[in-house]
Amino acid sequence: FQADGTLKIPVTQTACVLSLFFGLYPDGKRDVVLEALKERIRARGNHLDTGFCGTPFLCRALSDNGANDVAYTLFFNEDFPSWLYEVNMGATTIWERWNAVLPDGVISGIGMNSMNHYAYGAVFEWVYKNVCGLNPVPDVPGYKKAVIRPQPDVRLGAAKAKVNTAAGYYETGWQYEDNGEVTYTVVIPFDAEAEVYLPKKDGTTEEMTLTAGTYTFTL
C-alpha cells in the first residue's frame, strides 16, 4: 500500500477483497480500499472479475464493510460472469469457470473445466453468515453461543437458513412485509444463547440477547 491507502500494485477486485476481509490495509484506510473495490466493480458494469482466491470472500467483504447492496447486486446478476448465468444455462452444480458453457450451449473447452467445482459455490457462506446472519462465536466453541446479524435486501424479499450445529438446530430468517417492515424469525437450541442484531425500518438496529426458544419480530 501507499501511505494514503491506495494499492502499489495494479488494482484488482481480488486484491481489495482479500485486504478488506483479512484486515490487510493501513490503519484508518478501510474506506479507501472499499471505494477502490466498488470502483473496480463499477468499471466491470457491476460484475465480478474474481477467481478462486477472491470469489469466496467477495460478497462477505462487501457486506461486512458497509456495501451490502453491492453484494446483492453481484448475486442477482444473470449475465456472464455471474452465478445466475450458470443457473440460467441449466447448471445444477457450480462450474470451475464462469464461462464453462457458452451462451449457445457449447462447452467452452475440455481443459480446466470441471462442471462440479466448489470454489465459486462458496458464495453460500455469505448467504448463511450475512444474508441470514448466523455466525459462530470463536471463543465459545460448538455453537453454544451464536451471533445472529441478518442483512436483508428488499430485492430478495425473504430468506431462511437452518443449520444443525453441535449444540442443535439454529434457524434464522426474514421476510419483507407490504409496509416495508421486516419480519424476522429466530430459533435457538436448548442450553444455547445468541447475541441478536436486527435491522429496523428506520435504519437503526434492535439489539438483544436471546436464550433457547423460537422468536418472531416485526421491525
Side-chain angles (χ1 to χ4, degrees), residues 6 20 29 34 55 117 119 125 155 183 219:
T6 57
L20 288 168
K29 301 301 182 183
L34 177 61
T55 301
H117 211 85
E125 182 179 33
R155 290 173 290 177
T183 297
L219 303 173

Side-chain angles (χ1 to χ4, degrees), residues 78-155:
E78 295 189 43
D79 55 338
F80 168 81
S82 69
W83 292 280
L84 293 184
Y85 168 81
E86 300 182 20
V87 173
N88 290 336
M89 290 298 295
T92 56
T93 54
I94 299 295
W95 305 335
E96 184 177 12
R97 296 166 60 175
W98 293 114
N99 65 341
V101 180
L102 302 177
D104 60 3
V106 174
I107 304 297
S108 64
I110 60 173
M112 198 191 77
N113 200 5
S114 168
M115 297 298 183
N116 188 4
H117 211 85
Y118 175 70
Y120 298 155
V123 68
F124 267 85
E125 182 179 33
W126 170 74
V127 173
Y128 277 86
K129 291 188 173 182
N130 293 91
V131 174
C132 294
L134 179 60
N135 291 270
V137 176
D139 59 355
V140 184
Y143 270 94
K144 294 295 287 185
K145 185 174 183 179
V147 172
I148 297 176
R149 193 190 303 265
Q151 294 175 270
D153 188 295
V154 69
R155 290 173 290 177

Side-chain angles (χ1 to χ4, degrees), residues 129-199:
K129 291 188 173 182
N130 293 91
V131 174
C132 294
L134 179 60
N135 291 270
V137 176
D139 59 355
V140 184
Y143 270 94
K144 294 295 287 185
K145 185 174 183 179
V147 172
I148 297 176
R149 193 190 303 265
Q151 294 175 270
D153 188 295
V154 69
R155 290 173 290 177
L156 183 57
K160 183 170 68 174
K162 185 177 182 180
V163 180
N164 188 14
T165 73
Y169 277 103
Y170 281 86
E171 185 174 314
T172 175
W174 50 265
Q175 178 175 322
Y176 273 86
E177 306 297 342
D178 291 341
N179 63 359
E181 293 183 334
V182 180
T183 297
Y184 298 94
T185 57
V186 176
V187 178
I188 302 169
F190 172 75
D191 198 32
E193 68 174 22
E195 299 293 331
V196 180
Y197 303 85
L198 303 179

Side-chain angles (χ1 to χ4, degrees), residues 1-6 20 25-34:
F1 289 93
Q2 306 285 0
D4 63 359
T6 57
L20 288 168
Y25 47 80
D27 288 346
K29 301 301 182 183
R30 184 198 71 163
D31 289 347
V32 176
V33 181
L34 177 61

